[in-house]
Amino acid sequence: MAVPKRKTSKAKRDSRRAPNMKKALPGLSICPQCHEPKLPHRVCPNCNYYDGKEIVADNAAEA
Ligand SMILES: [Zn+2]
């Protein structure tokens, strides 16, 4: 079975992994209500609006 002749250098290893690191953070979307960046498919933390309606939290644990 073929075996690598040299240990992969840290620079080669890390540069190979680098493009995947960009995907670690989820994307942000812009709130249509207050135009602040927010997580997609989440109630806006700034104005508590989702889908054009204000969301009133009925559970303190979810707030
Ligand atoms: Zn908002």
Side-chain angles (χ1 to χ4, degrees), residues 30-38 43-50:
I30 301 300
C31 173
Q33 194 69 29
C34 64
H35 306 288
E36 287 287 314
K38 70 172 192 69
V43 175
C44 176
N46 188 58
C47 64
N48 291 323
Y49 266 70
Y50 187 78

Side-chain angles (χ1 to χ4, degrees), residues 2-44:
V3 172
K5 200 167 203 170
R6 288 279 170 204
K7 176 178 179 175
T8 304
S9 69
K10 288 178 225 170
K12 180 70 180 170
R13 179 201 65 197
D14 291 349
S15 66
R16 181 179 66 231
R17 293 176 184 173
N20 299 324
M21 297 299 284
K22 293 176 186 170
K23 293 165 189 166
L25 279 174
L28 287 174
S29 63
I30 301 300
C31 173
Q33 194 69 29
C34 64
H35 306 288
E36 287 287 314
K38 70 172 192 69
L39 289 172
H41 306 116
R42 299 291 191 280
V43 175
C44 176

